[in-house]
Structures are given as structure tokens and as C-alpha cells.
Amino acid sequence: MPTILDEITSALDFRRFLGPELSDRLRLRGATVDGIEATQTIQYYHAAQHLTDPATRGNDNSVVLAAFKPAWVRVYVRSGLVSAVPGVTGSLTVERRRLGFIWNPVATLAPQAPGSITAQPTADYATERGSTALTLNFIIPAADCYGVLRLTAALTDAGGRSLDTSSVVVNATLQQTLRLRGIMISYSGPPTAVPPPNAPPPPNINLAAPTLANLQSTASRALLAMPVQSTGNFAVAGTIAFTLPLDDARTGAGGCSVNWGTLLTQLATQRTNDGNRSDVVYFGLLPAGMPVNVPGCGNNGLGAGRVGDVATLLHEIGHGYGFAHTPCGAAGTTDANYPNYKPYPSASIGEFGIDISTGNVFPPLATSDYMSYCFPQWMSLYQHERLVGHTRLDPSWIVDTPLWEQYAPWKDYLVPDYIPDPPPGDPWKVAQMRPDPVISIIGVVRSENEVEVTSVARVRAVSTPPGRATALRARLLDADGRELARAPLHELAVQGGGCGCCGDGERKPGEPPYTFQAMIADVAPGAALTIGSAEATLWQRRAPERPPRVSGVRAELTQSGGVRLRWKAESAGESREAWVQWSNREGKVWHGLATGLAGAEAEVSLAGLPAGEALLRVLLHDGFHTAYSEPVRIEVPRRPPETAILAPADGAVLVAGAPMRVWGAATDSAGTPLPDESCLWLLDGKEVGRGTDAWVTAPAAGEHRATLIVRAEGEETRVSSSFTTIRVGEREC
Ligand SMILES: [Zn+2]
């Protein structure tokens, strides 16, 4: 069928009047490229058309793209005629720059479903920007999205005739990774802290510790919204057996609840046992059925939340990157530097965001920053910029300019005794992260003159605890009372997390009660440890007469995939607590496995350990000194792959006929990603793709099921999610 354009040009018969060259140039005006936007989570595009304060605007596509994460390329199309031009389609050519000036072809992409659009002579900015249905869309797959890219959109009509071409250059030069170490929490205890009055106490419930796959699926929103590559780096940093329900009442202004405070001190202890790494964020993962009042809590890399609560994980790890709340809702003290993106409400994300898995657009008028207490939430321009190059994401830049190589490598730089696992790309960071011998003191400052210490341990860990330093000091003294070393107490929960946790009233930093950690340099055995201010000593512990000893460790694998450990302990100190660490590198680097063990035996989970030989050792703390056992060798059994569907999420609602992402995580039991060939996707039982990250067209309106099958080393894991597709227009507002 001839297009309107064909009809007009033939009716006017331009060629006879104007000659072939000029008439072709006029034909090209049938539809033109008005602009190209390349976006992954949020992007500037024609900012002057909606941001009224010039200080908050940015150039088109100036938000850097993350390498190895898919990008949506939205081509904005205009009719050059007075009427609309239907059936405009085209292609997108992707080229990558090499040596600073050579453009190498990467791919020529076809548009995403439905594959063509109607070009309008004019468009309302917010309407067009607010819906991917109004642009011609292309998706650069994760594997191709890196380096400096030149994107050339070529528009054609239904007959394949060229209408217009236009190019932009975008940067996908930022390579960084979401690095999470999950502390898995099992629960055995009462179903509630507030049982109904005048009734017998309800029976205890037992909830198994979550798995690495649970951590990966709960991190799906974080992987999507943050400037990080599609595949994260996940590991288990030990397991905690918790026994208190978390639905107890909020403490007054500032605190979460008494039981949350107890959990935070246990998480801090576990993190210390793991070396308190500065290139990751720790997250305590609670079972989905955990009784809670506040959904999540914590701060400074010590957040915790339940399996499946994707929004809480994103928010809590935001505190782990050092972010404060942003000004919307009852969020307490908020970040004073958060920009006012006029004309939008406070804590607006500032530009149009996108969920690349679905093509959903987040308008700045109705979307709040994810560190605020208003909803819906998404990544803002402000937090995006602060995550670019963040040390806890192991950032590096992809550079292609000539002669760069000679500046890039670090010559023969090696840290002999310690290399973190996984190692960061940059050896200077290895040096920064080298753990120091420290005395870690963890506890709760109950009031102005009352300090409760729950753990004292001498270990190797990165010696700065996250969190704000308070005015109180911990000191190591010699027998004559002279100070050998000192360090400030760091407050572990400055702002209540979890949103809704600490909304009532303002709490000043350093105002009790709060959980704390202090890390004093372990320079000498010493004779006493104290905590206090310049004027008064609030807590003191003297060295016991003889240091503790731990020996005779025996390990036996159990049916349930754990290990039963027995040891001999001797101590004369005030308290006695055992920790367990593991190493698969002959003891060059140790990771945390368990903490808070009383007695002389325990069953410990081996979740997250790589299959094969590993060493275990027991640390015995007497409240002043720490003894280390000789390591014992175990053989960690091979287990099935850890597999999670990140998109389509279970219960998701998608638009039929629109692009749909099938995105999963597939790792071995230790968190090492498996190759793409190991992964197969089924949609309603039929094979639709391979690899962890692929795009298909969403099926016809109705109920559907996506299945990810992962095969590795003779083991197979299958996971499924159920989702619904609807026709456009049916979606509820
Ligand atoms: Zn918070």
C-alpha cells in the first residue's frame, strides 16, 4: 500500500518541476530523527525542555552508561509534513571506537516490537518522553555495550526507502560491579514478640537461612537501577542463627527496635570476622517468613531485609554506599545537598528514568529518589552520579585512546601475603584493603553513662568501621595505665533504615541508645581495655591472668550440607565466644563463616564455599585476647548451581507484544558466574533463548510462565516465575 508520502510526492510530481536531486531531498523530509537517547536507568535528553533551572540541566546522553549492561536507544521521530507519517521503521548501527579515532562495526540492530511507529509533526515533550511506545526503540545487548559507541539511526519507510539518518556518540566506558556479601540469617524462635493477651504462647517457628540464589533475586532491583554491569558479584559471608522476633515495638526516636539492635551487633560481628572489606557491601538476608514490624533496618553497609524485598535491599545498600535519606516523606534528617530539580517536587529523580527489563518509564514529576520515603522510587541523577566510580563497586574505565596502554598496567605490583577474593582490578586497592591487626569492640551505648559490650575480638580486618565516629573513645592501656592505642566508637545505625523504621521524631547523631563498633590497632597485648569520654570511664575490662587456648579441632561433614566442629577451649576471661573462618587459599586469606558460638562444638553451614578443599579454623575470644586454632582440612561437596530469575519477576505485569527481558543469575555454589551456554530459557514450555540476559517479545495477553534451566558439571537446576501480560490500555493507573 502506498504511504501518504508516496501519494503526495507522486501527486506533485516533484521530479518534473524540481529535478531529481532536489525532489529526493524533499522526500527525505517525510520523517526525520529529532534526537537519540541512550539510557540504562536515567538520562539527560533535551533537558532545557523540562528542567527550568539551568543549573540542574545536562547535555543529551551525558549520563555515562555502564559497560556490559544493556542500553535502550530511543529514537525520537518527527514527520516533516503537516500530517502524521505512519509505518516509520529503520535500523541502528553500533560502532565502537578504537585507538581514539577508528570506528569498528559492532552490530546493526532491528527495532524492538512493534518495530515501527507513526511520526507526528509535533509532540508534547513529557508525553513523548514518558512512553517507550512513542519512540523507535533498539536494545544494545550487554555483551556489546562497552567503550565509546557511535550510534547511527537510519529511518526507512515501509518499502525500505531511506528517510533520514542521524548519529550520536555515547560513553559506555564505566565498568563496575554490584558486589554484595550476604550474611544469611536462619530463625528459630517465637512467631511474634507481641503475642495476643490471655492466650497460651504460640509455638516457635523455624525458618532456614536463605541461599545465594535468594540473595541474587532480592538484588534484582539494585542490579537494574544502579550503574553496574548485568552480572553481579555475590558471596556468602557466613550464617547467623537468630532467635528473636523482629516485630517488637520501635524504640523511641532514632532506634529501630531492641531486637533489631541485637541483630545489628551480630551482623557487625560477622562482618568483622569476614575482614570488614571496603570493596563490597554487606547485607543481612532474613528468611521471607521472618516476623518483622520494620521491614528492614541498619546503616553503613550493615543493612538487613527479607528475601524478595527488592526495594528494601536497594535502599539499605544505599546506606552502605554512604547515602543519607533524601527530602521527601518522614525521612528524618536528610541530605542537604540533594538538588531541587525545578519544577518537580522535592526528591524528584530529576530526569526520565527507565526500567530496561520492561521499557517502563519513570517520569520525574511522579518518581522519588530511592533514598527518600516517598513512592514510587527509582534511581535519581544525583545518586547515579555518586555511584559512578564508587570504591565499593570496584570501578574502572575502559579507555581506547592511542598509547594509553603504557599508562594503564601496574608493573609487577604484588602484595605477597594478602589478595582479596575476588581481587579488585586495581592493585593499589589491594594495598588499601590489606587487613590490619585490630581489636574490635562491638556493643550498645545504652545511655550517657552505660555501655554494654557484646564482643571483643583480636582479628585482621580493614580497620575503619563504617559509620559516623562519636565523641567516645576506646583505649588499650598498659599495666601502668598508659595509653597504647585508641580509636573512636563508630555509630552503626545513624539513620534508621528500612523506611518507616524511625520516622517519629529527630534523633541527633551520638544520642543513645545506639549500636557501635570500635577498632583499636592491636599493637600489644596490653593490660586493660576501656571506653569513655575525656572526663569519665564508662566501661573497663582487665586482661585475664592467662590468654585463652583453642586446640584439637575436629570437623565432620553432615547430611544437611554443613559441618560439625568440635574443639577444646581454655580461657580465664570474663566471656568466651568462638568464631569460625575458612580459606581455600592455604590460609593466605580468611573469610568469616560463623560467630557467636558458645561451648565447644557447633554445626555450621557451608553455604557459599566453593567445592573442593578448604581449611577451617576456630578463633576463641576471652573478652580480651583471641586464640587461633590450627586449621583443619575439609572437602566441600559439589552442589547444584545457584539459579535465580531476575526478570520477568514472579507476579510481574507486562505489556503484550512489547520487548520483554529474560534475565537470570546462574552461578556455582560459591557465586562464580556460569557460562552463557549453561542457561536455557523456556516460555510456557517452549525454548526462547539462551544465556543469562536475552530479549523476546512478550506473549499475547494472559497468564504465562518463564523457566530458566541451568546445567553445570552434571547438575541441573530449574526455576520458574509466573507473570501476566495485558494489552495496552488495560493497564491500571
Ligand atoms: Zn533508610
Side-chain angles (χ1 to χ4, degrees), residues 296-299 315-316 319 323-325 331 370-373 495-501:
C297 212
N299 204 353
H315 178 98
E316 293 302 337
H319 288 310
F323 300 169
H325 287 155
Y370 74 96
M371 296 308 293
S372 77
Y373 274 25
Q495 270 183 315
C499 295
C501 158

Side-chain angles (χ1 to χ4, degrees), residues 471-483:
L472 295 178
R473 295 284 177 274
R475 291 184 174 85
L476 175 68
L477 308 177
D478 70 10
D480 301 323
R482 276 188 301 253
E483 181 180 294

